[in-house]
DNA sequence: AACTGACCTTT
DNA sequence: AAGGTCAGT
């Protein structure tokens, strides 16, 4: 029910936010595996759900353009904390093409027609609020240009790719959405993850409306994720062994004061947040680092995956000594310290740029600048990196290994009532 | 404390 | 093999 609330098409009602392309590149930032909620619905146009609303974003050289799709008859309340949804029905097109992309809840489409929310508040304030939502989501208060400068000066390998991959920012995502999306990424393909997150929202998230035949859903709430039968449902949706991780993690968080527990970690030190996350089923060191970096304001967190490990070996000669067969926790800690020493307190941001540049889908971008650049100096700076391992603790709460606070290990708690 | 395989599916 | 995690040694 309410599956087919009609979302208004993008008219000429773009809003603009001053933002240079060197500060933000939508294509790189939205498709590099941080969030799996955005699709390029048209050339240079990215549509997705953020903060309980459906957005379409695009950009010019100097501005970020955005539009929020309003439901024409939506009764689906946004699950967000703010309930004030200034939905103003403009066109009341008879709901036509119910082209069921979901095939799940096929309903006879009823005429969208109920109490049209009488405008109870002036809508003008909403636009400022939405601009602020974007600034927060993209963390536009952080000057990426300055950071690129610093990283490039400190690291010739970063400098080598910087010009080809500008505007790669770390998103500030909702912690719940980030956590449960990232759990899905473990031992998985990016191409597959997109579909999984999509089906997750389709199956358990509140419907927000339909646009161009595609239905959009909010990210599932913790209660929806923790519900009985969720594991089996997700198994059917192709989540494999991750299905119980999602359900059990949700239940565990709910038992620990719900979303406030997660959001509270934003104010906690990196090491503490990392440790707390690792207590959740399906959350190891790498996933915890991703969540810390992309939703909990831990800019120093460096997720070490196979790509970063390859980079470390190839570019920074980080095999000196021993090369574990797999990426161990110790290796992740050591590499975290190493990259924080190299890149500084926002090492996680720099890592995101390097990771992005490593993705196969973005290799064409690399070629372009490579031709311009020189291509002779290759192995130049492969020096000892072991030296850097020493004074790496100089950055406050850098490494996420200290902290012997409280055990709080539930992890394998089966059906702990 | 640090390593080694098994593990759901899909490219 | 894929942007790992878990349990056992």
């Amino acid at each position: 029910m309410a599956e087919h609330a009609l979302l208004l098409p993008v008219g000429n009602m773009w809003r603009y936010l001053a933002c240079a392309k060197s500060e933000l590149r939508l294509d790189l930032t939205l498709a590099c595996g941080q969030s799996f909620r955005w699709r390029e619905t048209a050339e240079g146009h990215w549509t997705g759900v953020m903060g309980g609303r459906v957005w379409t974003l695009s950009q010019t050289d100097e501005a970020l353009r955005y539009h929020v799709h309003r439901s024409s008859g939506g009764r689906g309340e946004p699950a967000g904390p703010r309930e004030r949804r200034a939905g103003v029905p403009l066109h009341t097109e008879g709901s036509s093409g119910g082209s069921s992309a979901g095939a799940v809840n096929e309903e006879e489409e009823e005429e969208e027609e109920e109490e049209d929310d009488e405008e109870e508040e002036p809508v003008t304030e909403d636009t400022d609020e939405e601009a602020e939502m974007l600034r927060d989501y993209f963390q536009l208060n952080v000057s990426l240009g300055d950071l690129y400068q610093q990283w490039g000066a400190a690291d010739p390998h970063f400098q080598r790719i910087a010009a080809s991959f500008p505007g790669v920012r770390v998103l500030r995502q909702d912690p719940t959405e980030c956590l449960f999306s990232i759990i899905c990424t473990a031992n998985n393909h990016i191409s597959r993850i997109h579909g999984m997150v999509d089906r997750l929202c389709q199956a358990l998230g509140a419907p927000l409306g339909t646009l161009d035949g595609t239905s959009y859903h909010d990210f599932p709430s913790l209660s929806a994720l923790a519900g009985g039968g969720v594991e089996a449902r997700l198994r059917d949706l192709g989540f494999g062994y991750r299905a119980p991780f999602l359900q059990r993690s949700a239940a565990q968080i709910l038992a620990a004061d719900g979303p406030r527990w997660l959001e509270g970690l934003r104010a906690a030190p990196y090491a503490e947040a990392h440790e707390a996350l690792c207590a959740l089923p399906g959350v190891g060191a790498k996933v915890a680092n991703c969540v810390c970096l992309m939703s909990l304001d831990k800019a120093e967190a460096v997720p070490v995956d196979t790509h970063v490990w390859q980079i470390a070996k190839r570019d920074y000669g980080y095999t000196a000594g021993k090369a574990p067969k797999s990426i161990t926790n110790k290796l992740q800690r050591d590499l975290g310290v190493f990259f924080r020493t190299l890149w500084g307190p926002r090492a996680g941001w720099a890592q995101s740029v390097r990771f992005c540049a490593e993705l196969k889908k973005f290799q064409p971008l690399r070629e372009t600048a490579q031709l311009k650049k020189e291509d002779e100096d290759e192995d130049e700076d492969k020096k000892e990196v072991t030296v850097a391992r020493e004074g790496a603790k100089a950055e406050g709460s850098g490494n996420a290994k200290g902290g012997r606070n409280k055990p709080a290990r539930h992890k394998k708690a089966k059906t702990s009532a």
Side-chain angles (χ1 to χ4, degrees), chain A residues 32-33 189-190 282 284 287 411:
Chain A
C32 70
H189 292 267
I190 289 184
V287 167
K411 211 64 168 188

mmCIF file of all heavy atoms in Angstrom, chain A residues 32-33 189-190 282 284 287 411, chain C residues 1-8:
data_model
loop_
_atom_site.group_PDB
_atom_site.id
_atom_site.type_symbol
_atom_site.label_atom_id
_atom_site.label_comp_id
_atom_site.label_asym_id
_atom_site.label_seq_id
_atom_site.Cartn_x
_atom_site.Cartn_y
_atom_site.Cartn_z
ATOM 1 N N CYS A 32 31.881 5.439 -5.647
ATOM 2 C CA CYS A 32 33.150 4.790 -5.309
ATOM 3 C C CYS A 32 32.993 3.803 -4.159
ATOM 4 O O CYS A 32 33.969 3.366 -3.560
ATOM 5 C CB CYS A 32 34.200 5.834 -4.967
ATOM 6 S SG CYS A 32 33.913 6.706 -3.413
ATOM 7 N N GLY A 33 31.758 3.455 -3.832
ATOM 8 C CA GLY A 33 31.554 2.409 -2.846
ATOM 9 C C GLY A 33 31.408 2.878 -1.412
ATOM 10 O O GLY A 33 31.492 2.073 -0.490
ATOM 11 N N HIS A 189 31.377 -8.446 -4.093
ATOM 12 C CA HIS A 189 31.646 -7.578 -5.238
ATOM 13 C C HIS A 189 30.843 -6.296 -5.131
ATOM 14 O O HIS A 189 29.683 -6.318 -4.736
ATOM 15 C CB HIS A 189 31.240 -8.267 -6.550
ATOM 16 C CG HIS A 189 32.081 -9.441 -6.892
ATOM 17 N ND1 HIS A 189 33.189 -9.364 -7.704
ATOM 18 C CD2 HIS A 189 31.980 -10.720 -6.521
ATOM 19 C CE1 HIS A 189 33.732 -10.556 -7.827
ATOM 20 N NE2 HIS A 189 33.022 -11.396 -7.120
ATOM 21 N N ILE A 190 31.436 -5.207 -5.548
ATOM 22 C CA ILE A 190 30.714 -3.935 -5.523
ATOM 23 C C ILE A 190 29.459 -4.019 -6.378
ATOM 24 O O ILE A 190 28.408 -3.505 -6.000
ATOM 25 C CB ILE A 190 31.621 -2.788 -6.028
ATOM 26 C CG1 ILE A 190 32.712 -2.505 -4.987
ATOM 27 C CG2 ILE A 190 30.809 -1.532 -6.274
ATOM 28 C CD1 ILE A 190 33.595 -1.340 -5.323
ATOM 29 N N GLY A 282 29.215 -9.750 12.426
ATOM 30 C CA GLY A 282 29.497 -9.377 11.051
ATOM 31 C C GLY A 282 30.356 -8.144 10.924
ATOM 32 O O GLY A 282 30.642 -7.695 9.818
ATOM 33 N N GLY A 284 33.934 -6.668 11.640
ATOM 34 C CA GLY A 284 35.325 -6.847 12.013
ATOM 35 C C GLY A 284 36.044 -5.524 11.909
ATOM 36 O O GLY A 284 35.422 -4.464 11.770
ATOM 37 N N VAL A 287 35.261 -3.415 8.488
ATOM 38 C CA VAL A 287 33.915 -2.837 8.448
ATOM 39 C C VAL A 287 33.780 -1.734 9.494
ATOM 40 O O VAL A 287 33.225 -0.667 9.233
ATOM 41 C CB VAL A 287 32.850 -3.930 8.664
ATOM 42 C CG1 VAL A 287 31.485 -3.318 8.952
ATOM 43 C CG2 VAL A 287 32.770 -4.827 7.442
ATOM 44 N N LYS A 411 29.022 -10.487 20.703
ATOM 45 C CA LYS A 411 29.448 -11.170 19.495
ATOM 46 C C LYS A 411 28.782 -12.520 19.263
ATOM 47 O O LYS A 411 28.052 -12.707 18.342
ATOM 48 C CB LYS A 411 30.949 -11.380 19.542
ATOM 49 C CG LYS A 411 31.573 -11.372 18.191
ATOM 50 C CD LYS A 411 31.421 -10.036 17.517
ATOM 51 C CE LYS A 411 32.319 -10.022 16.289
ATOM 52 N NZ LYS A 411 32.372 -8.699 15.693
ATOM 53 P P DA C 1 41.714 -17.154 -8.012
ATOM 54 O OP1 DA C 1 42.700 -16.643 -8.934
ATOM 55 O OP2 DA C 1 42.158 -17.806 -6.781
ATOM 56 O "O5'" DA C 1 40.822 -15.944 -7.534
ATOM 57 C "C5'" DA C 1 41.214 -14.675 -7.924
ATOM 58 C "C4'" DA C 1 40.077 -13.740 -7.735
ATOM 59 O "O4'" DA C 1 38.809 -14.381 -7.791
ATOM 60 C "C3'" DA C 1 40.156 -13.026 -6.389
ATOM 61 O "O3'" DA C 1 39.878 -11.654 -6.640
ATOM 62 C "C2'" DA C 1 39.046 -13.674 -5.577
ATOM 63 C "C1'" DA C 1 38.040 -14.017 -6.649
ATOM 64 N N9 DA C 1 37.168 -15.153 -6.326
ATOM 65 C C8 DA C 1 37.507 -16.309 -5.696
ATOM 66 N N7 DA C 1 36.509 -17.142 -5.533
ATOM 67 C C5 DA C 1 35.429 -16.492 -6.109
ATOM 68 C C6 DA C 1 34.079 -16.831 -6.267
ATOM 69 N N6 DA C 1 33.558 -17.979 -5.839
ATOM 70 N N1 DA C 1 33.266 -15.948 -6.889
ATOM 71 C C2 DA C 1 33.787 -14.802 -7.312
ATOM 72 N N3 DA C 1 35.048 -14.371 -7.226
ATOM 73 C C4 DA C 1 35.819 -15.264 -6.601
ATOM 74 P P DA C 2 40.149 -10.611 -5.577
ATOM 75 O OP1 DA C 2 40.943 -9.580 -6.243
ATOM 76 O OP2 DA C 2 40.613 -11.231 -4.338
ATOM 77 O "O5'" DA C 2 38.674 -10.035 -5.381
ATOM 78 C "C5'" DA C 2 37.898 -9.749 -6.522
ATOM 79 C "C4'" DA C 2 36.514 -9.326 -6.104
ATOM 80 O "O4'" DA C 2 35.718 -10.499 -5.853
ATOM 81 C "C3'" DA C 2 36.447 -8.488 -4.816
ATOM 82 O "O3'" DA C 2 35.446 -7.510 -4.939
ATOM 83 C "C2'" DA C 2 36.093 -9.520 -3.754
ATOM 84 C "C1'" DA C 2 35.207 -10.461 -4.543
ATOM 85 N N9 DA C 2 35.211 -11.846 -4.051
ATOM 86 C C8 DA C 2 36.248 -12.535 -3.497
ATOM 87 N N7 DA C 2 35.952 -13.761 -3.170
ATOM 88 C C5 DA C 2 34.626 -13.891 -3.536
ATOM 89 C C6 DA C 2 33.722 -14.967 -3.448
ATOM 90 N N6 DA C 2 34.032 -16.148 -2.942
ATOM 91 N N1 DA C 2 32.470 -14.759 -3.901
ATOM 92 C C2 DA C 2 32.150 -13.551 -4.421
ATOM 93 N N3 DA C 2 32.922 -12.479 -4.550
ATOM 94 C C4 DA C 2 34.163 -12.714 -4.081
ATOM 95 P P DG C 3 35.871 -6.095 -4.987
ATOM 96 O OP1 DG C 3 34.713 -5.251 -5.239
ATOM 97 O OP2 DG C 3 37.054 -6.168 -5.862
ATOM 98 O "O5'" DG C 3 36.373 -5.716 -3.533
ATOM 99 C "C5'" DG C 3 35.954 -6.409 -2.396
ATOM 100 C "C4'" DG C 3 36.792 -5.940 -1.229
ATOM 101 O "O4'" DG C 3 37.086 -4.554 -1.366
ATOM 102 C "C3'" DG C 3 36.055 -6.066 0.093
ATOM 103 O "O3'" DG C 3 36.986 -6.300 1.134
ATOM 104 C "C2'" DG C 3 35.365 -4.754 0.271
ATOM 105 C "C1'" DG C 3 36.351 -3.805 -0.422
ATOM 106 N N9 DG C 3 35.635 -2.757 -1.143
ATOM 107 C C8 DG C 3 35.190 -2.788 -2.421
ATOM 108 N N7 DG C 3 34.562 -1.709 -2.772
ATOM 109 C C5 DG C 3 34.615 -0.910 -1.663
ATOM 110 C C6 DG C 3 34.103 0.379 -1.440
ATOM 111 O O6 DG C 3 33.484 1.089 -2.221
ATOM 112 N N1 DG C 3 34.368 0.841 -0.152
ATOM 113 C C2 DG C 3 35.039 0.123 0.801
ATOM 114 N N2 DG C 3 35.189 0.705 1.981
ATOM 115 N N3 DG C 3 35.516 -1.092 0.607
ATOM 116 C C4 DG C 3 35.272 -1.544 -0.626
ATOM 117 P P DG C 4 37.574 -7.754 1.113
ATOM 118 O OP1 DG C 4 38.991 -7.544 1.471
ATOM 119 O OP2 DG C 4 37.259 -8.670 0.039
ATOM 120 O "O5'" DG C 4 36.778 -8.212 2.396
ATOM 121 C "C5'" DG C 4 37.199 -7.639 3.618
ATOM 122 C "C4'" DG C 4 36.095 -7.826 4.599
ATOM 123 O "O4'" DG C 4 35.541 -9.122 4.375
ATOM 124 C "C3'" DG C 4 36.573 -7.800 6.025
ATOM 125 O "O3'" DG C 4 35.510 -7.409 6.857
ATOM 126 C "C2'" DG C 4 37.013 -9.225 6.239
ATOM 127 C "C1'" DG C 4 36.017 -10.014 5.371
ATOM 128 N N9 DG C 4 36.617 -11.158 4.675
ATOM 129 C C8 DG C 4 37.788 -11.200 3.967
ATOM 130 N N7 DG C 4 38.036 -12.368 3.449
ATOM 131 C C5 DG C 4 36.954 -13.141 3.837
ATOM 132 C C6 DG C 4 36.675 -14.501 3.579
ATOM 133 O O6 DG C 4 37.352 -15.314 2.927
ATOM 134 N N1 DG C 4 35.480 -14.886 4.152
ATOM 135 C C2 DG C 4 34.662 -14.067 4.875
ATOM 136 N N2 DG C 4 33.540 -14.621 5.349
ATOM 137 N N3 DG C 4 34.900 -12.796 5.131
ATOM 138 C C4 DG C 4 36.072 -12.401 4.587
ATOM 139 P P DT C 5 35.793 -7.330 8.441
ATOM 140 O OP1 DT C 5 35.022 -6.182 8.943
ATOM 141 O OP2 DT C 5 37.235 -7.423 8.693
ATOM 142 O "O5'" DT C 5 35.097 -8.660 8.966
ATOM 143 C "C5'" DT C 5 33.745 -8.899 8.642
ATOM 144 C "C4'" DT C 5 33.259 -10.192 9.280
ATOM 145 O "O4'" DT C 5 33.777 -11.319 8.557
ATOM 146 C "C3'" DT C 5 33.690 -10.369 10.746
ATOM 147 O "O3'" DT C 5 32.583 -10.820 11.492
ATOM 148 C "C2'" DT C 5 34.795 -11.404 10.667
ATOM 149 C "C1'" DT C 5 34.394 -12.218 9.449
ATOM 150 N N1 DT C 5 35.505 -12.869 8.708
ATOM 151 C C2 DT C 5 35.383 -14.192 8.328
ATOM 152 O O2 DT C 5 34.415 -14.874 8.594
ATOM 153 N N3 DT C 5 36.453 -14.688 7.622
ATOM 154 C C4 DT C 5 37.601 -14.011 7.272
ATOM 155 O O4 DT C 5 38.489 -14.559 6.638
ATOM 156 C C5 DT C 5 37.655 -12.627 7.693
ATOM 157 C C7 DT C 5 38.875 -11.810 7.341
ATOM 158 C C6 DT C 5 36.624 -12.131 8.379
ATOM 159 P P DC C 6 32.749 -11.084 13.051
ATOM 160 O OP1 DC C 6 31.488 -10.691 13.677
ATOM 161 O OP2 DC C 6 34.026 -10.525 13.500
ATOM 162 O "O5'" DC C 6 32.865 -12.675 13.109
ATOM 163 C "C5'" DC C 6 31.952 -13.452 12.356
ATOM 164 C "C4'" DC C 6 32.197 -14.934 12.584
ATOM 165 O "O4'" DC C 6 33.264 -15.369 11.719
ATOM 166 C "C3'" DC C 6 32.608 -15.284 14.012
ATOM 167 O "O3'" DC C 6 31.880 -16.410 14.462
ATOM 168 C "C2'" DC C 6 34.089 -15.586 13.906
ATOM 169 C "C1'" DC C 6 34.236 -16.066 12.472
ATOM 170 N N1 DC C 6 35.543 -15.727 11.866
ATOM 171 C C2 DC C 6 36.178 -16.645 11.027
ATOM 172 O O2 DC C 6 35.633 -17.734 10.796
ATOM 173 N N3 DC C 6 37.373 -16.328 10.485
ATOM 174 C C4 DC C 6 37.926 -15.147 10.758
ATOM 175 N N4 DC C 6 39.104 -14.876 10.203
ATOM 176 C C5 DC C 6 37.303 -14.199 11.614
ATOM 177 C C6 DC C 6 36.116 -14.532 12.139
ATOM 178 P P DA C 7 31.885 -16.834 15.957
ATOM 179 O OP1 DA C 7 30.485 -17.106 16.301
ATOM 180 O OP2 DA C 7 32.687 -15.865 16.717
ATOM 181 O "O5'" DA C 7 32.678 -18.215 15.940
ATOM 182 C "C5'" DA C 7 32.365 -19.186 14.941
ATOM 183 C "C4'" DA C 7 33.438 -20.261 14.908
ATOM 184 O "O4'" DA C 7 34.603 -19.770 14.219
ATOM 185 C "C3'" DA C 7 33.909 -20.717 16.299
ATOM 186 O "O3'" DA C 7 34.011 -22.136 16.306
ATOM 187 C "C2'" DA C 7 35.263 -20.036 16.461
ATOM 188 C "C1'" DA C 7 35.756 -19.971 15.019
ATOM 189 N N9 DA C 7 36.660 -18.858 14.755
ATOM 190 C C8 DA C 7 36.661 -17.624 15.332
ATOM 191 N N7 DA C 7 37.602 -16.820 14.893
ATOM 192 C C5 DA C 7 38.274 -17.595 13.953
ATOM 193 C C6 DA C 7 39.377 -17.335 13.120
ATOM 194 N N6 DA C 7 40.026 -16.162 13.105
ATOM 195 N N1 DA C 7 39.793 -18.325 12.300
ATOM 196 C C2 DA C 7 39.142 -19.493 12.317
ATOM 197 N N3 DA C 7 38.085 -19.859 13.054
ATOM 198 C C4 DA C 7 37.702 -18.853 13.850
ATOM 199 P P DG C 8 34.477 -22.917 17.609
ATOM 200 O OP1 DG C 8 33.571 -24.055 17.771
ATOM 201 O OP2 DG C 8 34.663 -21.946 18.712
ATOM 202 O "O5'" DG C 8 35.910 -23.460 17.179
ATOM 203 C "C5'" DG C 8 36.050 -24.172 15.943
ATOM 204 C "C4'" DG C 8 37.513 -24.439 15.663
ATOM 205 O "O4'" DG C 8 38.152 -23.200 15.290
ATOM 206 C "C3'" DG C 8 38.292 -24.970 16.872
ATOM 207 O "O3'" DG C 8 39.192 -25.987 16.449
ATOM 208 C "C2'" DG C 8 39.019 -23.747 17.388
ATOM 209 C "C1'" DG C 8 39.302 -23.005 16.092
ATOM 210 N N9 DG C 8 39.527 -21.585 16.244
ATOM 211 C C8 DG C 8 38.834 -20.712 17.049
ATOM 212 N N7 DG C 8 39.280 -19.483 16.985
ATOM 213 C C5 DG C 8 40.336 -19.556 16.083
ATOM 214 C C6 DG C 8 41.210 -18.549 15.618
ATOM 215 O O6 DG C 8 41.225 -17.351 15.918
ATOM 216 N N1 DG C 8 42.140 -19.043 14.721
ATOM 217 C C2 DG C 8 42.215 -20.349 14.314
ATOM 218 N N2 DG C 8 43.178 -20.635 13.439
ATOM 219 N N3 DG C 8 41.411 -21.306 14.746
ATOM 220 C C4 DG C 8 40.498 -20.836 15.621
#
